[in-house]
Amino acid sequence: MDRVLTNLNLVTMQPATHPCKADSHASISTNDCSNGYQVIENAVIGITNGKISFVGSSDQADLHGHPDVIDCQQALVTPGIIDCHTHLIFAGNRANEFEQRLQGVPYETIAKAGGGILATVKATRAASEEDLLELAVERLEGLKRDGVTTIEIKSGYGLTLEDEIKMLRVAKAIGCLEDIKVTSTLLAAHALPPEYKDRADDYIDHICNDIIPVVAAEKLADAVDVFCENIGFSNQQCERVYLAAIEHGLKIKGHTEQLSNQGGSQLAASLGATSVDHIEYLDDSGVNALHQHGTVATLLPGAFYFLRETQFPPIEALRNAKVPMAIASDFNPGTSPIASMRMMMNLACTLFRVTPEESLRGVTCHAAQALGLGETRGQVRVGMDADLAIWQLEHPAELSYRIGVPDLLARVVDGEFFYAD
């Protein structure tokens, strides 16, 4: 082992039916409030070549003479937090629209005056890669303070081949930073650009025939996303984008059922989507489709809160169908300008009535599944990436209970320590 972490209370987030795959003899807490998290008290984690190579209790580890032992002083250790849905890269801001809406100006009026998504598109097109990178790295600091070690970043504010590629190159540059991991998603089907006004099918042709092939060839994205909605793109148009993505070896996911029930979640699931996101208007047929195809339901409570929505996602139906529920920030300039995963966890609990355990699963193991990374991240067990968050906390429920207190001591990314300020 290259490095050993000792004297910690470990929250493994392994499935409750497999108490500790890493070591069947590990001491699992029998506290009813902790068992769901799969807590190992007085635990030891061994790390070799950036991977977890040992998980167990202290009386099972022989640390005599080991050169790199870190005493965590009874800190709480969880998997690194994963934000599986963000729009981190953009220029400009829309605080003026926020103020206008609160003064009673309808969104349609704001959009007709050049606001909304297209305002961000205009600013992002005008920005350089260097400017976009600097802005995104600043925003990322807020997420890091909440223990984030993996982040998904979407394009979607370029809406031309050149500008979508520009955004994805910035995402790749962020992924080269040593203390964060990035998965990138092409979201060219985010809105209809002004050049294609009243020609949505032509724009879909452009995405399928021009943008996706280049993005895939240059390995700039891991997945392709779409906005399947009555103010976005139709099911038929989204299906064309999905099929083009699959043809080029890319994963698929969807913004679905946010404002209405279009059946987009069923479509995405049937084609193998790793996740469908928002899903406030998801019905029983959609829930069954997610269960049948193993698709994750990603909750975005920040947008729900910021827009003062009233249609709640079907939490109980998802829970009963055993559909994994991820939770993400949806960080974006228009509907969720909130760079805090702990706030998202709290909002999911207070607004959607998920439990603190469900919220932590939502930003660890289920978030990893939403990105197609469930075999390498989101749990603490042998063979997983050594991505961890170390907290000055007594119980994992505190992560969704408290907001704004600097409880993070350090993040571990591929076995390397990055201490909180």
Side-chain angles (χ1 to χ4, degrees):
M1 292 184 287
D2 303 327
R3 176 168 290 162
V4 178
L5 282 60
T6 67
N7 192 20
L8 56 95
N9 293 314
L10 176 61
V11 184
T12 74
M13 299 315 294
Q14 293 186 40
T17 53
H18 302 287
C20 190
K21 294 179 183 177
D23 188 331
S24 60
H25 300 291
S27 175
I28 306 296
S29 169
T30 57
N31 185 314
D32 288 342
C33 294
S34 298
N35 195 41
Y37 303 94
Q38 297 303 296
V39 174
I40 306 176
E41 298 175 346
N42 195 21
V44 173
I45 301 173
I47 298 171
T48 305
N49 295 326
K51 300 285 186 180
I52 296 170
S53 55
F54 176 85
V55 177
S57 57
S58 59
D59 58 3
Q60 298 166 319
D62 181 7
L63 306 180
H64 181 71
H66 198 284
D68 193 356
V69 176
I70 298 175
D71 184 347
C72 293
Q73 300 181 12
Q74 286 296 297
L76 191 77
V77 176
T78 69
I81 304 302
I82 298 171
D83 191 350
C84 63
H85 181 133
T86 83
H87 305 256
L88 191 74
I89 298 169
F90 59 87
N93 76 69
R94 283 151 58 188
N96 61 323
E97 295 179 19
F98 174 64
E99 186 170 37
Q100 286 178 294
R101 288 201 307 271
L102 291 174
Q103 292 171 342
V105 181
Y107 177 78
E108 183 179 0
T109 302
I110 294 171
K112 286 182 178 179
I117 288 176
L118 293 184
T120 302
V121 169
K122 182 178 179 180
T124 303
R125 287 180 176 182
S128 67
E129 287 189 27
E130 292 76 16
D131 290 340
L132 292 173
L133 178 60
E134 182 178 354
L135 289 166
V137 168
E138 288 178 359
R139 297 164 187 146
L140 182 59
E141 288 303 311
L143 294 169
K144 288 179 182 178
R145 283 195 291 269
D146 280 357
V148 171
T149 56
T150 293
I151 182 172
E152 185 257 17
I153 302 176
K154 303 180 190 295
S155 65
Y157 293 127
L159 309 186
T160 67
L161 174 60
E162 178 183 359
D163 291 300
E164 289 292 293
I165 285 177
K166 177 174 69 175
M167 293 185 69
L168 292 171
R169 283 178 178 156
V170 173
K172 288 295 184 183
I174 296 171
C176 290
L177 301 175
E178 62 180 354
D179 67 337
I180 195 73
K181 294 179 175 180
V182 171
T183 69
S184 51
T185 300
L186 173 68
L187 181 58
H190 191 196
L192 191 62
E195 300 86 355
Y196 283 88
K197 184 178 180 181
D198 300 323
R199 295 191 296 125
D201 284 331
D202 290 342
Y203 182 55
I204 294 297
D205 286 341
H206 178 50
I207 294 173
C208 295
N209 300 331
D210 303 320
I211 298 180
I212 288 176
V214 172
V215 167
E218 296 189 17
K219 300 186 185 306
L220 289 173
D222 304 291
V224 171
D225 199 346
V226 299
F227 185 32
C228 186
E229 190 53 75
N230 53 16
I231 63 168
F233 296 94
S234 70
N235 284 27
Q236 292 77 17
Q237 291 164 342
C238 291
E239 183 174 19
R240 290 175 56 200
V241 174
Y242 283 148
L243 293 175
I246 293 167
E247 180 183 351
H248 286 86
L250 298 170
K251 302 172 196 171
I252 62 171
K253 54 209 298 109
H255 286 61
T256 58
E257 272 70 71
Q258 179 185 9
L259 305 173
S260 61
N261 183 7
Q262 300 290 312
S265 297
Q266 293 182 63
L267 168 67
S270 69
L271 293 174
T274 57
S275 76
V276 291
D277 303 15
H278 285 293
I279 61 163
E280 281 89 336
Y281 284 83
L282 186 69
D283 61 14
D284 288 343
S285 297
V287 171
N288 292 335
L290 302 190
H291 170 74
Q292 179 181 353
H293 297 285
T295 300
V296 175
T298 300
L299 309 175
L300 304 178
F304 181 95
Y305 157 79
F306 199 76
L307 293 174
R308 301 170 67 193
E309 295 288 358
T310 57
Q311 176 71 32
F312 290 91
I315 300 299
E316 193 62 28
L318 291 166
R319 187 182 284 139
N320 290 338
K322 295 182 171 53
V323 173
M325 291 181 284
I327 296 168
S329 73
D330 190 21
F331 184 88
N332 75 79
T335 63
S336 188
I338 307 168
S340 171
M341 286 300 285
R342 289 186 68 181
M343 183 169 181
M344 294 304 137
M345 295 170 70
N346 178 272
L347 289 174
C349 291
T350 56
L351 297 178
F352 297 163
R353 312 305 291 173
V354 305
T355 68
E357 180 195 335
E358 287 172 327
S359 76
L360 186 52
R361 290 195 179 277
V363 299
T364 55
C365 53
H366 292 165
Q369 287 179 252
L371 298 177
L373 299 173
E375 295 302 312
T376 57
R377 300 177 206 171
Q379 299 176 45
V380 181
R381 60 180 172 87
V382 169
M384 290 287 207
D385 293 352
D387 297 347
L388 308 166
I390 303 176
W391 310 91
Q392 190 171 321
L393 296 171
E394 295 182 1
H395 192 280
E398 293 180 70
L399 287 165
S400 54
Y401 158 74
R402 190 159 62 193
I403 303 171
V405 179
D407 298 310
L408 183 73
L409 297 173
R411 294 176 306 120
V412 181
V413 181
D414 287 334
E416 297 299 322
F417 268 66
F418 299 92
Y419 291 94
D421 295 334

